[in-house]
Amino acid sequence: MKRIVQMYTKSPLILRIAIGLVIGVILGIWVPQAGFVTVFGDIFVGALKAIAPVLVFVLVIASLASAGQGIGKRFRTVIILYTLSTFLAAVVAVLGSYLFPVTISLSQAAEQTPPAGLGEVFSGLLSNMVMNPVQALISANYVGILTWAVVFGLALKIGADEKTKAVLTDISNAVSKTVAWVIQLAPFGILGLVYRTVSENGLEVFTDYGKILLLLVGCMLAVALVIDPLIVAVVLKKNPYPLVLKCFRESGLTAFFTRSSAANIPVNMSLCEKLGLDREYYSVSIPLGATINMDGAAITITVMSLAAAFSQGVSVNIFLAILLSFVATLGACGASGVAGGSLLLIPMACSLLGVGQDVAMQVVAVGFIIGVVQDSLETAINSSGDVIFCATAEFREWQKQGKKLPF
């Protein structure tokens, strides 16, 4: 048994995930009634979601308590990259919507209540920041977890002795080891998640709303394969695709099937460790990216809002479209604090375009219908982008120090 486990763990993780994916598809097609297979996916996602808040809280505190000098520059760079990427994603969505205008028949209704505007979005964001830290951990509120972890980490950096800091480091190492064990379950988790998707969802999602889905996918792929690599190339003056493709393989694939940026935080931190990044830095910037690096969300908000406007015959001039890009960027950054994520920010953007609430909520309903693909790809782009720009910011400092990049 020990030999089997060793053979399993020593084989490449991406190969094991690919095998799990293929088996999941085959079982989903040929044995759609075998519901017990979905348990593997539930266990994997549940384990990731359970360990992720503890991982972020412990690692951020330990990292800041023993942090050295020079981390601040990397944080400034990565925040700029996160924000710039999200804004450019919204611009790409505007251009795509103008080049390939899409209208959709609206007859659905949505039950969720959207935020009234950006004020409500950021009010919720601020409320989450000051949530009781225990409650934040229980509810996986990463804004609150980050806020309190930073406060505690800075306080310990000032007031704790070296022995205390060493204990914190040991605890963070133990949590990281636990995460490594959980990630070994990924092939079984992907098998269960793929099986559920294939067995429960037919091809109707591609036919009923194929045009809007195709536009969303096209914009997301344009950002992932052109815009984000271009940003990396400008910053590092180096071919970005080895880094970009590695992040897609090892982060984006898992995020696509878990459909949760929060659940993918442990996967991203493990990838950062493989890339040789500084734990003191990535333990903060990765969960921060899961909060503010929202390329896919900005695209969804922009494309769906413009589709609603075009469907109602509303004329949207270029200045209003640019303003929409800013609103989508700000809204996407605050989406993690809003129930329903990016889809429930569509009515807020629609109000800017003069589209009524009833129509906007019908568009939200369409978003939920195509969410099997839209939300999966959105999460994959968001999550893999977290690692791409986290690594880019650190590699930029490596270049200044004359260190060789690992790609």
Side-chain angles (χ1 to χ4, degrees), residues 121-378:
V121 172
F122 287 103
S123 174
L125 201 59
L126 292 173
S127 297
N128 285 334
M129 290 177 66
V130 295
M131 178 182 285
N132 180 293
V134 176
Q135 183 60 39
L137 282 167
I138 293 172
S139 61
N141 166 22
Y142 286 92
V143 176
I145 291 170
L146 266 178
T147 300
W148 287 112
V150 168
V151 172
F152 292 150
L154 293 175
L156 286 166
K157 181 177 176 62
I158 296 171
D161 58 23
E162 293 304 317
K163 290 183 178 179
T164 301
K165 294 177 181 177
V167 170
L168 289 171
T169 300
D170 289 341
I171 293 173
S172 70
N173 289 337
V175 175
S176 297
K177 186 65 175 178
T178 303
V179 169
W181 291 341
V182 172
I183 291 176
Q184 292 298 326
L185 299 174
F188 298 99
I190 295 298
L191 186 156
L193 292 167
V194 172
Y195 172 83
R196 170 172 288 168
T197 300
V198 173
S199 62
E200 293 183 358
N201 299 282
L203 298 177
E204 292 82 2
V205 69
F206 295 102
T207 56
D208 293 345
Y209 298 104
K211 289 184 179 179
I212 188 71
L213 182 59
L214 189 61
L215 178 58
L216 283 166
V217 171
C219 290
M220 290 183 188
L221 291 179
V223 169
L225 299 177
V226 179
I227 301 300
D228 287 353
L230 182 60
I231 294 173
V232 176
V234 170
V235 173
L236 298 181
K237 297 178 175 60
K238 192 175 176 67
N239 178 11
Y241 286 101
L243 173 64
V244 169
L245 295 178
K246 182 178 181 65
C247 291
F248 283 158
R249 286 197 309 270
E250 301 194 24
S251 172
L253 180 63
T254 307
F256 183 90
F257 291 107
T258 61
R259 296 171 64 181
S260 171
S261 294
N264 217 47
I265 287 175
V267 177
N268 281 352
M269 288 193 175
S270 177
L271 177 54
C272 286
E273 186 174 355
K274 288 182 183 179
L275 292 171
L277 305 187
D278 182 2
R279 179 188 285 187
E280 294 177 357
Y281 160 67
Y282 72 70
S283 64
V284 179
S285 58
I286 287 298
L288 179 64
T291 304
I292 68 171
N293 182 43
M294 293 289 175
D295 294 11
I299 290 171
T300 297
I301 294 168
T302 304
V303 168
M304 299 296 280
S305 300
L306 286 172
F310 295 154
S311 299
Q312 295 296 299
V314 176
S315 178
V316 182
N317 60 51
I318 187 63
F319 298 105
L320 193 57
I322 293 173
L323 181 59
L324 174 64
S325 298
F326 280 107
V327 170
T329 300
L330 294 173
C333 291
S336 59
V338 180
S342 60
L343 291 177
L344 287 184
L345 292 172
I346 292 170
M348 177 192 69
C350 283
S351 66
L352 177 69
L353 304 178
V355 176
Q357 182 85 347
D358 292 342
V359 172
M361 289 309 294
Q362 291 180 49
V363 175
V364 172
V366 172
F368 282 114
I369 292 172
I370 63 174
V372 174
V373 177
Q374 171 267 327
D375 190 44
S376 295
L377 188 57
E378 177 181 314

